[in-house]
Structure formats: structure tokens, C-alpha cells
Amino acid sequence: MKKLETREDIEYLVNSFYHKAVHDKKIGFFFTEIAKIELEKHLPKMYAFWESILFGQMSYKGNPMGAHFPINEAHAMEQPHFDRWLELWKATIEENFTGYTADMAIGKSENIAKLMAFKMELARRL
């Protein structure tokens, strides 16, 4: 298994994850029916996001939390949804990569999932 080291690795990881996520019975509808993402536009943003998170490239420009509030308003994003997102993300990493950066990608995703689940729940209560 290879180490997660390059932008190309991130692209492969993100593409593999999204292939799973958009077809997933538990969370796929968020991508296809609620957010109606256009993958050709969305994926480059995700490449930049993870490149910034994992390699410090600062290539991502955006507000990931802010982008999810309208989705949460249309359909509640709840803990089981974040758990599934995390399960798919971790599985995709573990199937393809090893090493420090792969472990960091899992750790960062766990923090992101916790924070997003908390903020989405808080937004629903306000």
C-alpha cells in the first residue's frame, strides 16, 4: 500500500470517496437530491480543501461550515449521517493508503465530523 503524499493521491482519495458517498443509501441523497452537487465543480474544491488540511498548501478558499448550513436547513444532517460519512472516508483511506498522512487524514476527518455535527445540531435548535 502506498503513502498519501501528493496532490494526485488526494485526488484519487477524494474521487474514490465520492464514488462511494453519492451512491450510499444513507447519505447519497445529500449529494444528489439536497445539495445537487455537480461533481466536476465540487471535486476540485475538495481536492484543495484536503490539500490545505493535509499539506498546508492553503489552496482552499471557502467556508466549509457555511456551505453546509443550507443543506442542513433543507434536511437535517444528523449524527448517523456524519458517522456514515466518516465510515466511508476512513474505509477509503484504509483501502488505499498507509502512513502518517493517511492517519492524519483520518484524525482530521474525525474532528471535522464532530464539529460539523455539533454545529448543525446547534443551528437546528436556534
Side-chain angles (χ1 to χ4, degrees):
M1 204 164 336
K2 79 182 293 312
K3 291 184 179 181
L4 179 58
E5 300 178 305
T6 66
R7 167 73 181 224
E8 290 76 23
D9 293 339
I10 288 175
E11 290 178 12
Y12 183 83
L13 169 60
V14 169
N15 289 342
S16 299
F17 165 77
Y18 271 87
H19 179 75
K20 291 177 185 179
V22 299
H23 295 101
D24 187 76
K25 291 180 181 177
K26 188 175 253 181
I27 64 170
F29 73 96
F30 281 109
F31 302 97
T32 59
E33 297 172 30
I34 307 297
K36 298 180 182 174
I37 62 168
E38 297 177 49
L39 286 175
E40 61 279 352
K41 292 180 183 177
H42 185 69
L43 292 177
K45 292 177 189 176
M46 295 299 92
Y47 306 151
F49 176 80
W50 285 104
E51 184 178 44
S52 296
I53 295 280
L54 298 175
F55 301 146
Q57 293 297 320
M58 303 311 290
S59 54
Y60 178 74
K61 307 284 188 253
N63 178 353
M65 196 66 66
H68 289 82
F69 286 123
I71 298 166
N72 190 50
E73 288 176 17
H75 190 286
M77 298 173 76
E78 298 174 327
Q79 190 63 53
H81 301 125
F82 289 102
D83 292 344
R84 182 63 177 156
W85 174 83
L86 196 55
E87 181 182 345
L88 293 172
W89 179 253
K90 285 179 172 181
T92 306
I93 293 169
E94 291 169 352
E95 291 163 3
N96 295 287
F97 298 101
T98 190
Y100 176 79
T101 307
D103 293 342
M104 186 169 64
I106 290 172
K108 296 284 187 180
S109 67
E110 291 169 340
N111 292 336
I112 291 166
K114 286 178 192 170
L115 180 62
M116 291 208 47
F118 173 77
K119 291 208 172 189
M120 295 304 127
E121 175 67 24
L122 185 61
R124 286 193 302 277
R125 292 178 181 212
L126 296 178

